[in-house]
Amino acid sequence: MEHCVDHRLPEILLDTHHRLRRAGTVASETPIVAADLYWSIGALAQCLAAMDEVISQLGTNARKQLRTGKFDVESGPFEGEPDAALLTAILALARASSSCEPVQTAIGNAQIAVSDLVATRHIRA
């Protein structure tokens, strides 16, 4: 790759992992609070958005390398065929990126459901 962009994705994922473990521990002893669930879903949405950005950036960098001819494959199934290797990688990244969209929709729907549940409880109370 031409340059690396510093992404906070690993930090966000680690923080999310710790918070979800704590939430799971608390949930086993007391009912989970809707705000905690909403935050957890939001953290997943942030991680997914960051992951999609990284996938997109990898695809962009691969296309640049393909155009400039700065990529060489010295071993493996694409040995000596950098164009085929990069095109295969770009297609795989495009598939991965397109797979993020339905998950993003589901996460958004989950956040709406939690908000609606909280609003319904407050209206009935």
Side-chain angles (χ1 to χ4, degrees):
M1 300 274 160
E2 291 177 11
H3 61 75
C4 290
V5 177
D6 184 26
H7 288 281
R8 292 194 53 234
L9 182 59
E11 291 172 29
I12 293 169
L13 288 172
L14 184 59
D15 183 54
T16 302
H17 170 73
H18 291 307
R19 287 179 186 250
L20 290 173
R21 286 190 73 192
R22 282 195 300 274
T25 300
V26 169
S28 67
E29 298 171 9
T30 61
I32 192 163
V33 177
D36 292 337
L37 181 56
Y38 189 84
W39 180 92
S40 298
I41 294 168
L44 290 173
Q46 285 181 331
C47 289
L48 187 62
M51 182 176 66
D52 195 30
E53 176 61 31
V54 170
I55 290 169
S56 175
Q57 188 62 46
L58 287 170
T60 300
N61 289 344
R63 280 190 291 278
K64 285 179 185 177
Q65 288 182 0
L66 182 60
R67 279 194 299 253
T68 60
K70 293 183 179 180
F71 188 75
D72 191 25
V73 181
E74 296 177 5
S75 64
F78 295 103
E79 182 177 348
E81 298 180 34
D83 291 352
L86 280 171
L87 286 173
T88 301
I90 289 168
L91 289 174
L93 289 167
R95 280 192 306 274
S97 182
S98 69
S99 297
C100 291
E101 187 176 325
V103 178
Q104 287 172 322
T105 300
I107 288 172
N109 289 340
Q111 283 186 304
I112 292 168
V114 171
S115 295
D116 289 349
L117 180 61
V118 170
T120 303
R121 281 187 174 173
H122 288 305
I123 293 170
R124 290 184 184 166

